[in-house]
Amino acid sequence: GRKCQIAGMQNALLRTLAALALVALASCGRPQAVDTEGADPRVVQARGTLAESEQATIAIFQSASPSVVLVISGDPSGFSGEVGAGTGFVWDAAGHVVTNNHVVQGAQTVIRLPGGEDIPAEVIGRAPQYDVAVLRLQRAVGSPALPLGTSNDLQVGQAVFAIGNPFGFDRTITSGIVSALGRQLPTQEGREIADVIQTDAAINPGNSGGPLLDSAGRVIGVTTAIFSPSGAYAGVGFAVPIDTVARVVPQLIENGRAPIAGIGIEIGRAHV
């Protein structure tokens, strides 16, 4: 009789354990309520003042970006399937925009302002030997001309900033340094641009024709090409020096062309 009593107790214990196991399995995977009564809420820590370098970069972007535009060349309607996009910037109050020559290869060109408005533009001058072109908007846009610096006193290691539309992502700023000076850069015409600025600021397709700025917010170059086996950013970008651009642009505005100043051929770099 005692053996039966022990066996019954064991069976009851087994049934109890099985029931507990089923409860545990049923609750597995379901969020469990956490008793937070009495817990203190998390406090957001004050950020404090931005670093001086951060404030300087923000100021450069806020000042320059309203004068940087998206250049759409080709068939803006999209029917032909041939549309290119690059960057340009306001040169003067007369509605002139500077960009790269290789950006404006299409029959039609439209300037898209930072606010999204599209304005037809006419290409009034090209200098393929410098990869520079000038467009004239149908009307003034009110955006100020970017201040010009000089490229003859640049130093390797100084900070630079590029603003453009890489891959169509408008008004993008990247930063870096002057990586080298005095580079020779071939153009699509088979000639070389002298004294080109090399930078590690990220430059990608769509950045072409955008301003390269110094830490004072002055234009010291026009981004034009990258060196990359893949065609995307690889840390080596190039900009036409502003001293060259500032000499060529007035001639393009007045005459539509600029004199050729040298011939050279080199292969192996890709325009953006």
Side-chain angles (χ1 to χ4, degrees):
R2 183 170 179 80
K3 290 183 179 179
C4 290
Q5 185 178 6
I6 292 173
M9 293 175 62
Q10 290 176 337
N11 290 336
L13 179 60
L14 289 173
R15 286 195 298 270
T16 300
L17 292 174
L20 291 173
L22 288 174
V23 171
L25 289 172
S27 62
C28 182
R30 293 189 303 180
Q32 300 298 307
V34 177
D35 184 8
T36 58
E37 185 177 354
D40 294 331
R42 293 298 305 273
V43 177
V44 176
Q45 297 293 323
R47 168 60 176 81
T49 305
L50 291 173
E52 188 174 327
S53 60
E54 294 175 301
Q55 295 182 51
T57 302
I58 292 169
I60 289 171
F61 178 76
Q62 291 179 343
S63 176
S65 61
S67 300
V68 179
V69 299
L70 175 66
V71 180
I72 304 171
S73 182
D75 179 10
S77 69
F79 290 117
S80 70
E82 297 181 359
V83 179
T87 303
F89 61 94
V90 178
W91 181 262
D92 57 26
H96 294 114
V97 169
V98 169
T99 186
N100 285 148
N101 177 68
H102 76 263
V103 169
V104 290
Q105 298 297 326
Q108 302 179 55
T109 303
V110 171
I111 296 297
R112 180 165 296 165
L113 303 180
E117 180 185 5
D118 289 349
I119 300 178
E122 176 189 4
V123 180
I124 64 166
R126 297 174 184 266
Q129 68 272 31
Y130 303 109
D131 198 17
V132 173
V134 177
L135 302 93
R136 179 184 292 129
L137 302 179
Q138 285 190 350
R139 63 174 179 80
V141 296
S143 299
L146 291 182
L148 302 185
T150 181
S151 50
N152 64 12
D153 61 357
L154 293 176
Q155 298 184 59
V156 174
Q158 75 176 77
V160 291
F161 305 85
I163 300 180
N165 306 289
F167 302 108
F169 293 106
D170 64 318
R171 299 208 302 164
T172 298
I173 185 170
T174 55
S175 63
I177 61 171
V178 173
S179 301
L181 294 165
R183 298 300 194 203
Q184 305 294 312
L185 184 70
T187 67
Q188 291 180 336
E189 304 298 313
R191 301 183 179 91
E192 288 184 345
I193 309 172
D195 297 323
V196 169
I197 303 163
Q198 180 182 328
T199 178
D200 68 347
I203 297 172
N204 283 291
N207 273 108
S208 287
L212 187 69
L213 309 168
D214 64 10
S215 57
R218 308 176 308 163
V219 182
I220 49 92
V222 178
T223 57
T224 186
I226 59 175
F227 182 86
S228 170
S230 67
Y233 172 66
V236 181
F238 302 97
V240 181
I242 194 61
D243 290 353
T244 299
V245 176
R247 184 180 71 251
V248 169
V249 167
Q251 299 176 52
L252 297 182
I253 293 175
E254 183 176 355
N255 304 314
R257 58 187 180 85
I260 298 174
I263 297 176
I265 298 175
E266 185 177 342
I267 300 174
R269 295 187 175 92
H271 286 83
V272 295

